[in-house]
């Protein structure tokens, strides 16, 4: 390994097949968010620290120990976004997007958390994110869940992933359930982890979400929210599950599921797989009706989800797209400039072309094969005039024929026909 600067722990340099997988996940998401009429937005990578502290909640893992927070040169406290929801809600308020409510927004990009790096867990990772802000309808929850389901389906991983669904109820439900949870956890105080003892005062629900083995038996035997569900909260949940059933989205109830953020209400969900070891949650979200008020805005119901691109990319099959790239190779030095011009013309006509900058004809063909290019288009001298010859290395007969036609449509007026074998 070189002695020069190294990548920071928990970050990644992504290329080759991994990068193809990554792009497939992002492109599929972008296609599907369009089908569901979500607008694509971009928001800053950093925000004032209070944006996250106030909206995610001081007692969450993210705010209490995972944020990259630093003073800038002007002395303001800034934080690299650990997730998208808070920044999107800040934008919703500060940019006056209220006038468009209910508004459906989607984005994806890097987020940052100071965590212990391991497989599927990084310090800079990437999320897909979808939010519906300004609707209190269970149809919004259903729409987001159906969208997530279609995404996983089109990525080809729906079979190995289950939707776990819960309700966290309304304010009345939470008050009753919270009191019962506190009583239960107080009774087991001596056996709880330090983290959970701290949560007990501020946000006892989050103990249910603890990954500490000391907490698990106590969390698993805690009172169920079902015994405290108010009439309206039960009705809301019923409409969500009806909507999912009508759309044919499979789900299982997990009455212990809570979300990391403090401001969740009603619907909470995770899409979970057992194919990634401990890092099994690929997509998660819920309704966060309390969040925008916490940021200083008016009461605004909202619901959304985020998914880890890296975890999805690990699950999908190797992308088998056939978007051929060809090499244009001159077989005589004097044809060099003409070959380069031909390459540019093909690109302008929509054919992807790579060229070598030096080397013999034979070396260039070998290099093209080694790089995994799909075909070589040879520009060669024949009876004193340049002719084209195509050799394909990959693709079905049909795909080769399509490539040949694409090339012909650009080149036939200049070079006439296109000879070639394997096409
Ligand atoms: P976990 O329980 O795995 O820590 P989380 O509840 O902190 O996840 P969310 O805040 O809900 O995760 O983020 C949404 C999704 O982002 C997760 O479901 C997961 O797929 C992905 N994700 C979260 N943290 C990381 C990370 N450090 N590295 C890679 N992906 C991550
Ligand atoms: Mg986490």
């Amino acid at each position: 390994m070189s002695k020069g600067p190294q990548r920071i722990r928990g970050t990644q340099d992504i290329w080759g097949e991994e990068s193809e997988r990554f792009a497939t996940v992002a492109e599929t998401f972008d296609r599907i968010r369009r089908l569901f009429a979500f607008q694509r937005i971009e928001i800053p990578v950093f925000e004032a620290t209070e944006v996250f502290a106030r909206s995610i909640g001081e007692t969450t893992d993210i705010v209490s120990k995972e944020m990259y927070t630093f003073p800038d040169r002007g002395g303001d406290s800034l934080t690299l976004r650990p997730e998208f929801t808070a920044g999107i809600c800040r934008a919703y308020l500060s940019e006056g997007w209220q006038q468009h409510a209910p508004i459906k927004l989607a984005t994806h990009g890097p987020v940052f958390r100071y965590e212990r790096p391991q497989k599927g867990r990084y310090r800079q990772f990437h999320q897909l994110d979808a939010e519906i802000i300004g609707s209190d309808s269970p149809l919004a929850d259903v729409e987001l869940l159906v969208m997530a389901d279609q995404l996983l389906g089109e990525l080809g991983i729906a079979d190995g992933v289950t939707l776990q669904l819960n309700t966290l109820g309304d304010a009345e439900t939470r008050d009753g359930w919270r009191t019962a949870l506190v009583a239960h956890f107080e009774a087991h105080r001596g056996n709880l982890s330090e983290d959970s003892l701290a949560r007990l005062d501020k946000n006892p629900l989050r103990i249910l979400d603890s990954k500490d083995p000391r907490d698990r038996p106590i969390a698993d035997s805690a009172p169920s929210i079902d015994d405290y569900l108010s009439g309206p909260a039960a009705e809301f949940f019923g409409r969500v599950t009806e909507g999912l059933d009508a759309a044919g989205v499979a789900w299982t109830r997990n009455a212990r599921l809570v979300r990391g953020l403090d401001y969740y209400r009603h619907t909470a969900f995770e899409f979970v797989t057992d194919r990634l070891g401990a890092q099994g949650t690929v997509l998660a979200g819920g309704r966060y009706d309390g969040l925008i008020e916490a940021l200083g805005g008016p009461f605004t119901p909202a619901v959304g989800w985020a998914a880890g691109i890296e975890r999805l990319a690990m699950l999908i099959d190797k992308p088998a797209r056939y978007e051929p790239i060809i090499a244009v190779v001159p077989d005589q030095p004097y044809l060099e400039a003409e070959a380069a011009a031909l390459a540019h013309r093909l690109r302008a006509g929509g054919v992807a072309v790579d060229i070598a900058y030096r080397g013999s004809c034979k070396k260039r063909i070998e290099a093209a094969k080694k790089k995994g290019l799909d075909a070589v288009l040879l520009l060669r001298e024949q009876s004193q005039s340049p002719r084209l010859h195509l050799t394909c290395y990959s693709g079905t007969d049909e795909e080769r024929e399509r490539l040949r036609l694409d090339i012909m449509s650009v080149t036939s007026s200049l070079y006439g026909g296109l000879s070639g074998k394997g096409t």
Side-chain angles (χ1 to χ4, degrees):
M1 209 186 277
S2 106
K3 285 215 192 83
Q6 300 295 313
R7 149 170 87 62
I8 300 294
R9 193 166 128 80
T11 64
Q12 318 168 76
D13 298 311
I14 305 172
W15 87 300
E17 184 189 321
E18 214 183 323
S19 159
E20 290 282 312
R21 293 167 169 278
F22 196 98
T24 299
V25 172
E27 284 161 16
T28 307
F29 173 71
D30 213 49
R31 192 160 46 73
I32 283 171
R33 66 97 189 146
R34 248 173 218 281
L35 293 175
F36 283 77
F38 280 62
Q39 292 183 63
R40 168 86 206 203
I41 55 162
E42 302 296 338
I43 56 163
V45 165
F46 55 87
E47 299 272 358
T49 298
E50 62 165 353
V51 168
F52 305 110
R54 285 168 63 174
S55 64
I56 299 174
E58 305 274 1
T59 61
T60 59
D61 283 354
I62 292 180
V63 174
S64 64
K65 55 188 189 202
E66 294 176 359
M67 293 203 308
Y68 278 93
T69 297
F70 56 95
D72 73 1
R73 288 172 193 274
D76 294 322
S77 178
L78 304 184
T79 294
L80 300 182
R81 63 185 182 203
E83 50 108 59
F84 280 107
T85 310
I88 292 176
C89 289
R90 191 275 307 145
Y92 178 84
L93 290 172
S94 63
E95 305 309 309
W97 294 348
Q98 288 113 305
Q99 59 182 307
H100 307 294
I103 185 170
K104 303 199 285 191
L105 304 170
T107 189
H108 64 81
V111 297
F112 307 84
R113 297 184 192 177
Y114 193 79
E115 300 203 63
R116 197 165 65 79
Q118 50 200 294
K119 185 177 173 240
R121 191 173 291 284
Y122 311 94
R123 289 182 173 173
Q124 175 175 340
F125 64 103
H126 300 78
Q127 283 187 339
L128 311 173
D129 190 275
E131 315 280 349
I132 302 179
I133 305 181
S135 171
D136 63 3
S137 167
L139 289 179
D141 308 46
V142 172
E143 191 173 30
L144 276 164
L145 282 161
V146 175
M147 179 182 177
D149 184 69
Q150 185 167 340
L151 173 70
L152 299 177
E154 295 202 15
L155 288 173
I157 58 178
D159 278 349
V161 180
T162 36
L163 165 57
Q164 299 196 352
L165 186 67
N166 197 17
T167 174
L168 303 175
D170 48 17
E172 187 195 326
T173 306
R174 277 173 78 110
D175 285 348
W177 188 36
R178 191 190 147 105
T179 308
L181 284 175
V182 171
H184 172 79
F185 292 135
E186 286 289 358
H188 296 86
R189 212 187 165 90
N191 297 318
L192 286 172
S193 69
E194 301 74 43
D195 279 351
S196 285
L197 282 175
R199 290 174 188 134
L200 190 47
D201 296 329
K202 291 178 181 150
N203 193 349
L205 265 63
R206 295 223 43 252
I207 300 177
L208 295 173
D209 194 30
S210 170
K211 292 190 178 70
D212 193 309
R214 286 172 290 173
D215 296 330
R216 279 324 317 163
I218 306 170
D220 291 337
S221 62
S224 165
I225 188 166
D226 287 355
D227 300 331
Y228 302 89
L229 218 51
S230 72
E235 195 201 320
F236 189 98
F237 191 52
R239 290 187 57 196
V240 173
T241 57
E242 270 165 33
L244 291 176
D245 293 341
V249 175
W251 57 277
T252 56
R253 177 75 194 282
N254 175 356
R256 305 257 176 271
L257 191 150
V258 291
R259 296 287 308 135
L261 274 64
D262 283 352
Y263 294 98
Y264 278 96
R265 299 284 182 281
H266 293 294
T267 321
F269 54 86
E270 291 187 356
F271 286 79
V272 185
T273 176
D274 54 14
R275 287 171 54 200
L276 293 176
Q279 273 55 252
T281 305
V282 292
L283 186 154
R287 182 163 274 284
Y288 53 90
D289 293 351
L291 193 152
I292 288 182
E293 266 179 310
L295 274 180
F299 171 76
T300 308
V303 54
W305 56 249
I309 297 185
E310 286 84 354
R311 293 188 193 175
L312 292 172
M314 283 191 265
L315 288 173
I316 64 174
D317 286 340
K318 185 179 172 194
R321 294 179 286 181
Y322 187 74
E323 287 160 15
I325 303 178
I326 68 170
V328 170
V329 177
D331 83 337
Q332 304 288 338
Y334 82 89
L335 290 173
E336 188 85 67
E338 185 166 342
L342 171 61
H344 299 325
R345 214 172 268 130
L346 281 162
R347 291 161 176 161
V351 179
V353 180
D354 198 9
I355 52 174
Y357 304 122
R358 55 162 53 102
S360 70
C361 176
K362 194 169 156 239
K363 278 225 173 87
R364 291 184 196 201
I365 292 171
E366 271 162 22
K369 285 191 200 168
K370 198 170 158 204
K371 251 187 173 178
L373 299 190
D374 302 282
V376 166
L377 183 62
L378 205 59
L379 178 64
R380 65 182 185 190
E381 192 189 88
Q382 206 178 314
S383 327
Q384 250 108 70
S385 58
R387 295 276 174 211
L388 295 178
H389 180 90
L390 181 69
T391 310
C392 291
Y393 304 118
S394 69
T396 62
D397 288 353
E398 219 169 278
E399 287 163 342
R400 290 172 181 214
E401 185 53 26
R402 197 175 320 129
L403 176 63
R404 162 179 287 276
L405 291 174
D406 287 349
I407 295 171
M408 285 282 286
S409 75
V410 177
T411 59
S412 61
S413 61
L414 299 161
Y415 298 99
L418 178 58
S419 67
K421 60 173 189 288
T423 59

